[in-house]
Amino acid sequence: MALPDLDKAVGHSFGLEIDGVQIKQISEVSGLKMEQDVIELKQNTADGKYVVKKLPGRPKAGEVTLTRGLTEDNSFEKWVKDAHFGKMGSARKGGAIIVYDYEGAAIKRYKLTNAWPKSLEIGSLKAGDTSVLTEKIVITYEQMEVE
């Protein structure tokens, strides 16, 4: 369902889609950004004034951190294992981070190119604790596009 023009989107839930496989139970996404270098061109004008112009440079690679509740799904672990043991041919994947509205419809897609897992962290394990166990995966990517 499309939002009216003046309404803002509320990210109700998030998902990760890697090579057609969707993981919809993502609870937090952080560090997602597009960035590029800035080139400074220093020159003198015809009347002798010193001017600094800023030009767009090369896009920068980025990293994003995804958090989800610990489940039986071991897709993160398999992906991390490929990268950890240097199987980069199968570890580098194309995918997208998807923001869903409260009805489950996709609001925005952030397409990642040549993404691979840098690290996997399991939340602290404490005996007798009643909080949800989480796992965080840090994914590095070469390029991001907003779809």
Side-chain angles (χ1 to χ4, degrees), residues 43-134:
Q43 62 186 23
N44 289 329
T45 61
D47 60 351
K49 292 182 181 176
Y50 179 73
V51 177
V52 177
K53 291 187 178 183
K54 296 196 179 218
L55 304 170
R58 290 182 286 194
K60 291 183 179 182
E63 290 183 353
V64 62
T65 303
L66 306 175
T67 305
R68 72 173 182 172
L70 191 65
T71 65
E72 291 181 9
D73 178 20
N74 63 354
S75 53
F76 281 178
E77 291 87 353
K78 287 180 185 176
W79 194 23
V80 169
K81 191 180 286 186
D82 283 347
H84 185 73
F85 291 112
K87 297 179 185 175
M88 295 311 289
S90 60
R92 287 185 198 273
K93 298 185 182 288
I97 294 174
I98 308 162
V99 180
Y100 298 100
D101 66 7
Y102 64 95
E103 293 179 336
I107 298 172
K108 239 352 164 195
R109 293 176 57 90
Y110 299 95
K111 182 180 170 188
L112 306 178
T113 304
N114 286 332
W116 55 275
K118 175 182 160 184
S119 66
L120 178 67
E121 176 185 344
I122 307 304
S124 61
L125 304 169
K126 296 179 185 175
D129 192 6
T130 58
S131 61
V132 175
L133 292 175
T134 60

Side-chain angles (χ1 to χ4, degrees), residues 14-38:
F14 313 99
L16 174 67
E17 180 181 282
I18 296 289
D19 285 350
V21 176
Q22 287 195 359
I23 301 170
K24 286 192 171 186
Q25 301 85 10
I26 306 296
S27 60
E28 183 180 343
V29 177
S30 62
L32 189 60
K33 68 178 179 177
M34 292 172 60
E35 190 176 8
Q36 68 186 52
D37 289 330
V38 175

